[in-house]
Amino acid sequence: MTQYVKTFHAIEIGDGGDGRWAERVRPAVVSAEDWLTEEGRTPEGAARARRLFEEHMPELVPALDRLAGQLSSPRAGTLLTLAAVRPFFSGCTQIGREGVLLRNYDFAPEHCEGTIVSSRFLRPVIGMQEAGWGLLDGMNDAGLAVSLTFGGRYVHGPGFALPLVLRYLLETCRTVEEAVGRLRTIPIAIPQNVTLVDPNGTVTVHVGPDIPLTGTGDSCAANHQHLPVPPEQEQVTRTQARLAAVRASGTDVAAMLRPPLYQCAYDEWLGTVYTAEYRPEEGRVTYHWPEESWEHSFEGFSPGTRTVTLGLPHGSDDRGAGGPGTGSSVTPSSRSPRRTRPGSRPDS
């Protein structure tokens, strides 16, 4: 198994208007056209994305314009709506229980932005930034925390990439109930699972372009929804095995840092890049790796960098002989589609 070294950054950006946010993301949006859909590159597609944003996230329109105005790309405003981008997929396991939101984010290390952001667009928010100003997971000062996983079904429809929806929920909602109500009305481009935690409870819901928002029996998720998981998909992603493991271990950080929850198939874009432990009522989040941790809070955010080693220190995960990451072949039909982001080459 290959270990990776990755540097994470923590930055404070305020309302995004003083240049700190733009300095960080400007290099990544140079190739924004590679991330937009064909429709999104047209004037008509850009106008539709803008109308969708104004309809569903009107409170964030001033922030959108403020951020886009600092970028040189003429398509920056369209890109930042995240309503006209190619579908993207990743791994991940997450659980909410007793005021804690715990998640593993699984992907290719070189394609994870790795930026922890403290912002104040509409209210204080801390989270792991993705796609310009979206969030893979995060919390707000009201005690609400949210996190996403891919839903495991490769369909795509009109709507938003979920990282921006998580940003919107944290900017405008105080409770799980309020956030679920808003999420129910927002079109989502690909199947996703969302776990939400506040001081009074936790819930996981399934969303997607072809289903209404659907509640689940408990508050954890991996990379499938309500439909059976094909055997070849389970072999590659182990989504059912991971869901069973996190359901049994609960919010045990140590369990998230060992197999089967900690994954090492980085070459398959299914390696654990970080573990996030949110305690939103305390306004505190700790990011964990096998050999170190980094804590941030609303009262004690720590801008800077942290270089960490990813992967288990004494060998591979427990996929066993013939599993992905051990030299076995994986057929194109069973391989998890790779996600694209600004500056990377999209799949054909």
Side-chain angles (χ1 to χ4, degrees):
M1 185 211 73
T2 302
Q3 288 187 303
Y4 289 82
V5 174
K6 181 173 180 62
T7 298
F8 288 79
H9 303 263
I11 63 173
E12 291 184 290
I13 62 172
D15 69 356
D18 65 2
R20 288 177 292 178
W21 172 85
E23 181 181 3
R24 178 66 188 157
V25 305
R26 192 174 288 119
V29 299
V30 171
S31 302
E33 289 190 19
D34 288 343
W35 208 25
L36 288 169
T37 62
E38 293 293 334
E39 181 189 19
R41 302 178 202 182
T42 68
E44 296 79 11
R48 278 191 286 272
R50 175 74 183 202
R51 287 196 299 270
L52 197 68
F53 189 92
E54 291 176 345
E55 177 184 356
H56 292 282
M57 304 184 189
E59 300 93 334
L60 287 181
V61 169
L64 171 69
D65 292 340
R66 184 165 58 248
L67 298 181
Q70 299 174 66
L71 302 176
S72 58
S73 170
R75 294 191 170 97
T78 304
L79 175 65
L80 293 179
T81 68
L82 293 194
V85 295
R86 294 174 180 269
F88 47 88
F89 312 98
S90 61
C92 312
T93 314
Q94 62 194 23
I95 184 169
R97 189 173 291 177
E98 297 177 348
V100 177
L101 175 58
L102 184 66
R103 69 100 98 255
N104 275 3
Y105 181 69
D106 303 335
F107 200 50
E110 65 272 24
H111 292 290
C112 174
E113 183 175 332
T115 303
I116 304 160
V117 171
S118 173
S119 64
R120 290 177 176 266
F121 293 120
L122 300 178
R123 68 184 316 140
V125 170
I126 294 175
M128 187 66 75
Q129 181 171 278
E130 174 71 347
W133 62 319
L135 297 170
L136 299 171
D137 43 72
M139 65 179 178
N140 67 19
D141 64 331
L144 175 66
V146 295
S147 180
L148 64 82
T149 76
F150 171 51
R153 298 183 298 109
Y154 305 119
V155 297
H156 181 232
F160 295 96
L162 196 59
L164 185 58
V165 178
L166 294 196
R167 161 69 72 181
Y168 179 68
L169 297 179
L170 291 176
E171 297 287 352
T172 60
C173 300
R174 299 181 60 86
T175 67
V176 166
E177 182 179 10
E178 185 181 2
V180 170
R182 289 191 182 242
L183 186 57
R184 197 181 301 275
T185 69
I186 299 174
I188 307 299
I190 68 171
Q192 299 272 12
N193 306 320
V194 185
T195 298
L196 309 97
V197 174
D198 69 16
N200 298 311
T202 180
V203 67
T204 291
V205 297
H206 298 159
V207 296
D210 58 341
I211 60 171
L213 182 145
T214 305
T216 64
D218 54 11
S219 57
C220 50
N223 300 124
H224 61 283
Q225 296 186 326
H226 57 288
L227 299 177
V229 179
E232 63 272 17
Q233 185 173 333
E234 177 66 18
Q235 178 186 359
V236 173
T237 69
R238 300 192 301 177
T239 176
Q240 295 176 108
R242 287 186 285 114
L243 183 63
V246 76
R247 185 180 286 132
S249 61
T251 54
D252 179 5
V253 172
M256 295 295 257
L257 294 173
R258 61 176 181 257
L261 296 175
Y262 193 93
Q263 301 201 91
C264 297
Y266 295 103
D267 292 341
E268 298 297 327
W269 295 48
L270 288 172
T272 299
V273 181
Y274 67 87
T275 300
E277 177 193 6
Y278 286 91
R279 296 181 178 270
E281 189 171 14
E282 302 172 13
R284 178 165 58 90
V285 57
T286 306
Y287 299 95
H288 299 277
W289 299 273
E291 297 179 339
E292 63 181 290
S293 301
W294 196 8
E295 182 178 302
H296 298 274
S297 68
F298 290 112
E299 295 185 354
F301 191 80
S302 304
T305 61
R306 187 69 59 94
T307 299
V308 301
T309 299
L310 310 180
L312 300 176
H314 302 297
S316 66
D317 63 14
D318 64 350
R319 289 173 185 266
T326 63
S328 65
S329 63
V330 181
T331 64
S333 62
S334 64
R335 186 184 302 274
S336 177
R338 295 179 178 180
R339 187 181 64 183
T340 63
R341 57 191 306 271
S344 67
R345 184 181 301 277
D347 289 349
S348 57

